[in-house]
Short mmCIF file of all heavy atoms in Angstrom, two decimals:
data_model
loop_
_atom_site.label_atom_id
_atom_site.label_comp_id
_atom_site.label_asym_id
_atom_site.label_seq_id
_atom_site.Cartn_x
_atom_site.Cartn_y
_atom_site.Cartn_z
N ILE A 1 -9.51 -24.90 8.06
CA ILE A 1 -9.19 -24.84 6.63
C ILE A 1 -8.94 -23.39 6.24
O ILE A 1 -9.79 -22.53 6.42
CB ILE A 1 -10.35 -25.41 5.80
CG1 ILE A 1 -10.58 -26.86 6.18
CG2 ILE A 1 -10.06 -25.29 4.32
CD1 ILE A 1 -11.79 -27.46 5.53
N GLN A 2 -7.75 -23.13 5.74
CA GLN A 2 -7.42 -21.78 5.28
C GLN A 2 -8.11 -21.51 3.96
O GLN A 2 -7.96 -22.26 3.02
CB GLN A 2 -5.90 -21.65 5.10
CG GLN A 2 -5.45 -20.28 4.61
CD GLN A 2 -5.63 -19.21 5.66
OE1 GLN A 2 -5.35 -19.43 6.81
NE2 GLN A 2 -6.09 -18.05 5.25
N ARG A 3 -8.87 -20.45 3.90
CA ARG A 3 -9.60 -20.10 2.69
C ARG A 3 -8.62 -19.86 1.54
O ARG A 3 -7.63 -19.13 1.67
CB ARG A 3 -10.43 -18.84 2.89
CG ARG A 3 -11.56 -19.00 3.87
CD ARG A 3 -12.66 -19.81 3.26
NE ARG A 3 -13.85 -19.81 4.11
CZ ARG A 3 -14.83 -20.62 3.95
NH1 ARG A 3 -14.81 -21.51 2.99
NH2 ARG A 3 -15.88 -20.58 4.73
N LEU A 4 -8.93 -20.49 0.40
CA LEU A 4 -8.08 -20.33 -0.77
C LEU A 4 -8.01 -18.86 -1.19
O LEU A 4 -6.95 -18.34 -1.52
CB LEU A 4 -8.62 -21.18 -1.92
CG LEU A 4 -7.83 -21.14 -3.24
CD1 LEU A 4 -6.40 -21.58 -3.00
CD2 LEU A 4 -8.50 -22.02 -4.29
N ALA A 5 -9.15 -18.17 -1.13
CA ALA A 5 -9.17 -16.76 -1.52
C ALA A 5 -8.31 -15.92 -0.58
O ALA A 5 -7.65 -14.97 -1.02
CB ALA A 5 -10.60 -16.24 -1.53
N ASP A 6 -8.32 -16.24 0.71
CA ASP A 6 -7.49 -15.51 1.66
C ASP A 6 -6.01 -15.71 1.37
O ASP A 6 -5.20 -14.79 1.47
CB ASP A 6 -7.79 -15.95 3.09
CG ASP A 6 -8.99 -15.21 3.68
OD1 ASP A 6 -9.41 -14.21 3.07
OD2 ASP A 6 -9.50 -15.64 4.71
N GLN A 7 -5.65 -16.94 1.02
CA GLN A 7 -4.26 -17.23 0.70
C GLN A 7 -3.81 -16.45 -0.53
O GLN A 7 -2.72 -15.87 -0.56
CB GLN A 7 -4.07 -18.73 0.48
CG GLN A 7 -4.28 -19.57 1.74
CD GLN A 7 -4.23 -21.06 1.45
OE1 GLN A 7 -4.49 -21.50 0.33
NE2 GLN A 7 -3.91 -21.86 2.46
N ILE A 8 -4.67 -16.44 -1.54
CA ILE A 8 -4.33 -15.74 -2.78
C ILE A 8 -4.24 -14.24 -2.54
O ILE A 8 -3.37 -13.57 -3.10
CB ILE A 8 -5.38 -16.05 -3.87
CG1 ILE A 8 -5.32 -17.54 -4.24
CG2 ILE A 8 -5.17 -15.19 -5.10
CD1 ILE A 8 -6.45 -17.99 -5.14
N SER A 9 -5.12 -13.73 -1.67
CA SER A 9 -5.16 -12.28 -1.47
C SER A 9 -3.88 -11.73 -0.87
O SER A 9 -3.55 -10.56 -1.07
CB SER A 9 -6.34 -11.91 -0.56
OG SER A 9 -6.13 -12.39 0.75
N ASN A 10 -3.13 -12.55 -0.13
CA ASN A 10 -1.87 -12.09 0.44
C ASN A 10 -0.89 -11.65 -0.65
O ASN A 10 -0.07 -10.76 -0.43
CB ASN A 10 -1.22 -13.20 1.28
CG ASN A 10 -1.94 -13.41 2.59
OD1 ASN A 10 -2.46 -12.47 3.18
ND2 ASN A 10 -1.98 -14.64 3.06
N VAL A 11 -0.99 -12.27 -1.82
CA VAL A 11 -0.12 -11.89 -2.94
C VAL A 11 -0.87 -10.96 -3.88
O VAL A 11 -0.29 -10.00 -4.42
CB VAL A 11 0.34 -13.15 -3.71
CG1 VAL A 11 1.17 -12.76 -4.92
CG2 VAL A 11 1.13 -14.07 -2.78
N PHE A 12 -2.15 -11.22 -4.05
CA PHE A 12 -2.94 -10.49 -5.03
C PHE A 12 -3.04 -8.99 -4.71
O PHE A 12 -2.83 -8.14 -5.58
CB PHE A 12 -4.34 -11.10 -5.09
CG PHE A 12 -5.29 -10.40 -6.01
CD1 PHE A 12 -5.13 -10.48 -7.38
CD2 PHE A 12 -6.36 -9.66 -5.51
CE1 PHE A 12 -6.01 -9.84 -8.24
CE2 PHE A 12 -7.24 -9.03 -6.35
CZ PHE A 12 -7.07 -9.12 -7.73
N VAL A 13 -3.35 -8.66 -3.45
CA VAL A 13 -3.56 -7.25 -3.09
C VAL A 13 -2.32 -6.40 -3.33
O VAL A 13 -2.38 -5.39 -4.03
CB VAL A 13 -4.06 -7.13 -1.64
CG1 VAL A 13 -4.11 -5.67 -1.21
CG2 VAL A 13 -5.41 -7.78 -1.49
N PRO A 14 -1.17 -6.74 -2.74
CA PRO A 14 0.01 -5.89 -2.99
C PRO A 14 0.43 -5.86 -4.45
O PRO A 14 0.94 -4.84 -4.93
CB PRO A 14 1.10 -6.51 -2.11
CG PRO A 14 0.62 -7.88 -1.78
CD PRO A 14 -0.85 -7.83 -1.79
N THR A 15 0.19 -6.96 -5.16
CA THR A 15 0.56 -6.99 -6.58
C THR A 15 -0.28 -6.01 -7.38
O THR A 15 0.25 -5.23 -8.19
CB THR A 15 0.38 -8.41 -7.14
OG1 THR A 15 1.22 -9.32 -6.43
CG2 THR A 15 0.74 -8.45 -8.63
N VAL A 16 -1.58 -6.01 -7.15
CA VAL A 16 -2.48 -5.11 -7.88
C VAL A 16 -2.17 -3.65 -7.54
O VAL A 16 -2.11 -2.78 -8.42
CB VAL A 16 -3.95 -5.44 -7.56
CG1 VAL A 16 -4.88 -4.35 -8.10
CG2 VAL A 16 -4.32 -6.78 -8.15
N VAL A 17 -1.97 -3.37 -6.25
CA VAL A 17 -1.65 -2.00 -5.84
C VAL A 17 -0.35 -1.55 -6.49
O VAL A 17 -0.23 -0.41 -6.98
CB VAL A 17 -1.57 -1.91 -4.31
CG1 VAL A 17 -1.06 -0.52 -3.89
CG2 VAL A 17 -2.93 -2.17 -3.68
N GLY A 18 0.63 -2.46 -6.50
CA GLY A 18 1.91 -2.12 -7.12
C GLY A 18 1.77 -1.81 -8.61
O GLY A 18 2.36 -0.85 -9.12
N ILE A 19 0.98 -2.63 -9.31
CA ILE A 19 0.76 -2.41 -10.74
C ILE A 19 0.04 -1.08 -10.97
O ILE A 19 0.38 -0.31 -11.88
CB ILE A 19 -0.05 -3.57 -11.34
CG1 ILE A 19 0.78 -4.86 -11.33
CG2 ILE A 19 -0.49 -3.24 -12.77
CD1 ILE A 19 0.01 -6.10 -11.75
N ALA A 20 -0.99 -0.79 -10.13
CA ALA A 20 -1.74 0.45 -10.28
C ALA A 20 -0.86 1.67 -10.06
O ALA A 20 -0.92 2.66 -10.81
CB ALA A 20 -2.92 0.47 -9.29
N ILE A 21 -0.02 1.62 -9.03
CA ILE A 21 0.89 2.75 -8.75
C ILE A 21 1.90 2.91 -9.88
O ILE A 21 2.19 4.03 -10.33
CB ILE A 21 1.60 2.53 -7.40
CG1 ILE A 21 0.59 2.62 -6.26
CG2 ILE A 21 2.72 3.56 -7.22
CD1 ILE A 21 1.16 2.28 -4.90
N LEU A 22 2.44 1.78 -10.34
CA LEU A 22 3.42 1.84 -11.43
C LEU A 22 2.80 2.42 -12.70
O LEU A 22 3.41 3.27 -13.38
CB LEU A 22 3.96 0.43 -11.70
CG LEU A 22 5.03 0.32 -12.81
CD1 LEU A 22 6.26 1.13 -12.43
CD2 LEU A 22 5.39 -1.14 -13.05
N ALA A 23 1.57 1.98 -13.00
CA ALA A 23 0.88 2.52 -14.18
C ALA A 23 0.64 4.01 -14.04
O ALA A 23 0.82 4.79 -14.99
CB ALA A 23 -0.45 1.78 -14.39
N PHE A 24 0.23 4.45 -12.84
CA PHE A 24 0.00 5.88 -12.59
C PHE A 24 1.28 6.69 -12.82
O PHE A 24 1.27 7.74 -13.48
CB PHE A 24 -0.50 6.07 -11.16
CG PHE A 24 -0.56 7.51 -10.72
CD1 PHE A 24 -1.62 8.33 -11.08
CD2 PHE A 24 0.47 8.05 -9.97
CE1 PHE A 24 -1.67 9.65 -10.69
CE2 PHE A 24 0.43 9.38 -9.57
CZ PHE A 24 -0.64 10.18 -9.93
N LEU A 25 2.40 6.22 -12.28
CA LEU A 25 3.66 6.95 -12.40
C LEU A 25 4.13 7.02 -13.85
O LEU A 25 4.61 8.07 -14.31
CB LEU A 25 4.73 6.29 -11.52
CG LEU A 25 4.50 6.38 -10.00
CD1 LEU A 25 5.55 5.58 -9.25
CD2 LEU A 25 4.52 7.84 -9.55
N ILE A 26 4.00 5.91 -14.56
CA ILE A 26 4.44 5.90 -15.96
C ILE A 26 3.62 6.88 -16.78
O ILE A 26 4.17 7.66 -17.59
CB ILE A 26 4.34 4.47 -16.53
CG1 ILE A 26 5.39 3.56 -15.87
CG2 ILE A 26 4.51 4.48 -18.05
CD1 ILE A 26 5.28 2.11 -16.27
#
């Protein structure tokens, strides 16, 4: 059984990092 949290993290981690970097640059 693939962990639901693991599945979500594949999208969640890069999305959060991208938002944080974008906010920093702005």
Side-chain angles (χ1 to χ4, degrees):
I1 299 174
Q2 179 69 42
R3 293 286 188 194
L4 181 58
D6 276 347
Q7 293 174 336
I8 294 171
S9 68
N10 287 327
V11 177
F12 177 71
V13 173
T15 300
V16 169
V17 173
I19 293 173
I21 293 174
L22 181 62
F24 171 80
L25 292 175
I26 291 175

